[in-house]
Amino acid sequence: AALMNAILLFGLTPAALGRLIGPIAGGPLLSGIGASWIFVFAAVLSGLEIVQLRRIRIRSSGHASGSSRGIAAEIRVSLREAKAFLGLSRQARLIIAIVTLHCFFVMGFDAILPIHARNAFDGDAAVFGSLLIAIGSGAIAGILGTSWITSDRGRGAVFFTSGIVSGLGLVLLGM
């Protein structure tokens, strides 16, 4: 249960918080200093991220193969191990299937969201930003809510329901 909570909470960083905080902070910055300075600011932040990542010192406590076969061989070994794990874990197979279907059918909508904001809502960047904030807020609520569920059966019900709601939400937005 602790590992599942850690995985769920890790999901907060890239997509969910970025979609919530990005439009909230980026909108005023964009209108205040302009797009060129936003890119400069993003480049500076990326540089700081690289500096901080290079400061991390890793002390391995796990097993390392020590192989000199090369990266392609290591990737093949990792994929074989993942396949073996998925063969043993029905729960992992179901989660991978749900995430794959979600990404295949729903995530592509992100690419057309600005056009949809303009055409369906007669909106501008503010409407697009509001849609991103709504998506990020929903993702955060889902991640936090799921991390508090302790039973596998309860989590399964939430994953299933969120998959259905995500698909239906897309259908409603398309109307």
Side-chain angles (χ1 to χ4, degrees):
L3 176 61
M4 182 61 84
N5 285 346
I7 292 168
L8 287 166
L9 292 174
F10 180 73
L12 281 174
T13 49
L17 286 175
R19 285 189 174 143
L20 177 66
I21 296 171
I24 291 172
L29 276 174
L30 184 61
S31 63
I33 63 173
S36 299
W37 286 107
I38 296 292
F39 282 108
V40 170
F41 183 62
V44 168
L45 289 178
S46 294
L48 290 173
E49 178 182 357
I50 290 168
V51 168
Q52 293 302 321
L53 286 172
R54 292 185 54 80
R55 292 179 62 199
I56 296 174
R57 300 291 174 240
I58 299 172
R59 185 176 51 92
S60 176
S61 60
H63 172 71
S65 67
S67 170
S68 61
R69 294 180 294 211
I71 190 72
E74 291 298 322
I75 290 172
R76 283 192 297 276
V77 169
S78 294
L79 289 174
R80 270 196 304 273
E81 290 174 357
K83 183 179 176 186
F85 173 74
L86 291 175
L88 298 174
S89 174
R90 180 177 180 265
Q91 182 182 20
R93 283 193 311 273
L94 288 172
I95 290 172
I96 295 293
I98 289 171
V99 169
T100 300
L101 288 171
H102 176 269
C103 290
F104 187 74
F105 290 113
V106 177
M107 296 299 285
F109 189 69
D110 287 355
I112 63 169
L113 192 58
I115 296 166
H116 185 69
R118 183 190 67 211
N119 294 346
F121 301 111
D122 196 29
D124 56 4
V127 172
F128 173 62
S130 298
L131 290 173
L132 283 179
I133 291 169
I135 291 169
S137 299
I140 290 170
I143 290 167
L144 291 176
T146 305
S147 71
W148 291 329
I149 298 171
T150 57
S151 74
D152 287 342
R153 183 179 207 117
R155 277 202 183 106
V158 168
F159 283 137
F160 180 78
T161 304
S162 66
I164 298 295
V165 169
S166 179
L168 290 176
L170 187 60
V171 169
L172 291 173
L173 275 173
M175 294 179 145

